[in-house]
Amino acid sequence: MDLLGDIGHADQLTSTREENKVLQAKVKELTVRVHELKSENEALKAEVELYRADYASGSHGGESKLWGSDGGGNGDNGGGESKEALVDDGADHFVTSGDGLYPSDPAVTLPQIHATANPLCCSLNSDDSLLATGGADSNIKLCRWGSALAPGEESSVKAVDDSITIPCGAPVISCAFAQGRGFPVVAAGCMDGSVEFAYCGLEIDAPKEGKDRILKSELGNRKGIKHDKYVKTICWSPSEPIVASASADGTVQLTRVGDVDSEAATASLEVVQSMHFDGAVESMCFANNGDTLCCYVRGTSYLSYFDLKDGCKQSKVSLNGGSAGTGCFDEHVSFAVLSLLSSPDGKYIAAATDSSRNIIMETGTDRIVRNLYGHKNDGFSNPKIAWSNSGQYLFGNSQDENCICVWDIASSSVVARLDKDAGGHDGFVRDIYSSRSSDTVASISFDKTAKIWLRGM
């Protein structure tokens, strides 16, 4: 028996344990310091934003424009989450708070909408009667959600069972209905870079099988629309049957869809314009009643507006304040815009960022009307937003909460969190869609359900 060897091993073990205790104490100390630095960093970011806005507006010696404690942005707002929100004094539209009327009643829950697969996107058609959801199972589901309002729990299950399943060949990341009532077409942007179109009319003689609803089309020498990388987002013009598709390959394609034949399952496609960028096109929306396309490209500090009536002439609007071509144009990139949406009246653009900040801007200008805080979305998140039909509220998700946050834009405060206790989702909220014609909101979640939210009486 090697007693000296055993003693030596025991001493080494004791020494290692003591070193481990010291290291654990150091880790705790550093963890506390990291949290302190993160808090200081957030405070500095907010201060930098104020200085940038001050510089861009030329009021270097004056007071910063804040929504301070008198307006409620800094004070107790019910949730206590809001930070100081930069406000342009010209934003008369949001002087008074909303009337408290917005969709908050989870009237319909559609279980297992894509069976065991996660739903990834959702949309409502022009009269809100049809819900489209895209899933990781590579299908689009068309559901007449109104039938789930019938008495009995089985009505929701039956609504899902009666849904039309349309195979798309790859996971569906984005879906959108054409906005004209006489143009029953839904578009699906897929993981493989393709954009599929399907007929969604519900007349008696419409195709019964989902696979028979896929519209076959020719586009040049290839079938349909195909980007080199996955489709980030798609949207339809509100004024004509033109769909815009944006991809991680840095391209945007504007395509006119026409000559839809439901019996033959065909449609014509015509490329209106193709645009190419240095980075992935993360988000976009139509503005000015479809005359303008607004895009955000990763790695840039501005929104790009393209005038579709003037050869897609580009103008850049800084997200930091200041206009392109002036000394005030700040090119510092501190966040990415991952969702863009025009307000119901078209006067404003909402931008969801990966820095736990949603921005309300005046359409076509660098005027930041409100900053909305109180949620969390970082570079690993998938922020989504939706306007209320009144334009007074904004809905958005939060990566660390299974809820939909509701902001009163005027006060920049979170006025509600539609979580599980409020009848909401029990998993991360993946997408939100708000109707333009009624107080109806659709949401889908990784709890594998779709919900329809209506305005409570």
Side-chain angles (χ1 to χ4, degrees), residues 1-329:
M1 184 179 230
D2 188 359
L3 294 177
L4 290 177
D6 289 343
I7 292 172
H9 287 308
D11 286 345
Q12 186 177 5
L13 182 59
T14 301
S15 176
T16 301
R17 284 174 176 167
E18 291 303 316
E19 288 178 7
N20 189 44
K21 289 180 181 178
V22 172
L23 289 173
Q24 285 180 345
K26 190 65 175 176
V27 166
K28 290 181 180 179
E29 179 185 335
L30 291 174
T31 300
V32 171
R33 183 57 181 152
V34 165
H35 285 302
E36 291 174 349
L37 289 172
K38 282 184 177 179
S39 298
E40 291 174 11
N41 187 45
E42 290 300 318
L44 287 171
K45 281 182 181 179
E47 191 172 355
V48 166
E49 295 297 336
L50 296 177
Y51 282 131
R52 284 191 183 128
D54 243 6
Y55 183 79
S57 64
S59 57
H60 315 307
E63 295 183 355
S64 297
K65 297 173 183 176
L66 296 178
W67 188 261
S69 55
D70 290 341
N74 260 346
D76 227 353
N77 55 26
E81 305 94 339
S82 287
K83 300 178 183 179
E84 291 179 331
L86 175 66
V87 173
D88 190 299
D89 287 339
D92 297 333
H93 189 74
F94 297 115
V95 168
T96 57
S97 292
D99 56 11
L101 300 176
Y102 53 82
S104 59
D105 175 22
V108 170
T109 298
L110 300 169
Q112 302 289 310
I113 188 69
H114 285 266
T116 59
N118 279 323
L120 302 176
C121 56
C122 62
S123 183
L124 292 168
N125 69 344
S126 57
D127 64 6
D128 302 334
S129 64
L130 198 58
L131 170 70
T133 61
D137 58 355
S138 303
N139 293 325
I140 281 274
K141 287 274 193 174
L142 298 180
C143 180
R144 283 185 271 197
W145 61 268
S147 62
L149 291 170
E153 294 182 4
E154 69 280 359
S155 61
S156 293
V157 176
K158 188 176 187 305
V160 173
D161 291 342
D162 292 343
S163 297
I164 299 169
T165 301
I166 301 173
C168 294
V172 180
I173 300 172
S174 179
C175 64
F177 284 99
Q179 297 193 29
R181 288 180 180 267
F183 200 77
V185 175
V186 63
C190 301
M191 184 72 78
D192 65 355
S194 65
V195 177
E196 301 288 349
F197 296 93
Y199 183 74
C200 57
L202 298 177
E203 63 272 15
I204 292 190
D205 59 348
K208 299 297 187 291
E209 296 293 327
K211 61 183 178 60
D212 297 328
R213 289 174 172 266
I214 293 289
L215 298 175
K216 298 178 288 293
S217 55
E218 298 288 338
L219 189 59
N221 59 358
R222 69 178 190 274
K223 292 185 180 296
I225 301 171
K226 188 71 166 68
H227 295 273
D228 290 336
K229 293 183 179 180
Y230 61 94
V231 176
K232 286 277 191 177
T233 184
I234 55 176
C235 58
W236 289 86
S237 166
S239 58
E240 50 186 327
I242 291 178
V243 67
S245 54
S247 168
D249 66 5
T251 64
V252 170
Q253 183 168 302
L254 293 165
T255 308
R256 186 182 301 277
V257 183
D259 300 326
V260 175
D261 187 331
S262 60
E263 292 185 8
T266 58
S268 64
L269 300 181
E270 175 193 355
V271 177
V272 176
Q273 188 63 259
S274 293
M275 294 177 279
H276 305 267
F277 304 92
D278 290 335
V281 183
E282 295 288 349
S283 54
M284 66 179 177
C285 67
F286 280 96
N288 299 325
N289 197 35
D291 290 346
T292 305
L293 185 68
C294 178
C295 302
Y296 174 79
V297 178
R298 182 169 285 277
T300 63
S301 61
Y302 52 83
L303 298 180
S304 292
Y305 285 86
F306 297 94
D307 187 345
L308 305 185
K309 299 299 184 183
D310 190 16
C312 287
K313 182 180 178 182
Q314 181 184 14
S315 58
K316 299 177 181 179
V317 170
S318 175
L319 290 161
N320 300 321
S323 302
T326 72
C328 294
F329 193 73

Side-chain angles (χ1 to χ4, degrees), residues 323-338:
S323 302
T326 72
C328 294
F329 193 73
D330 186 347
E331 296 186 358
H332 175 72
V333 179
S334 56
F335 55 81
V337 175
L338 301 183

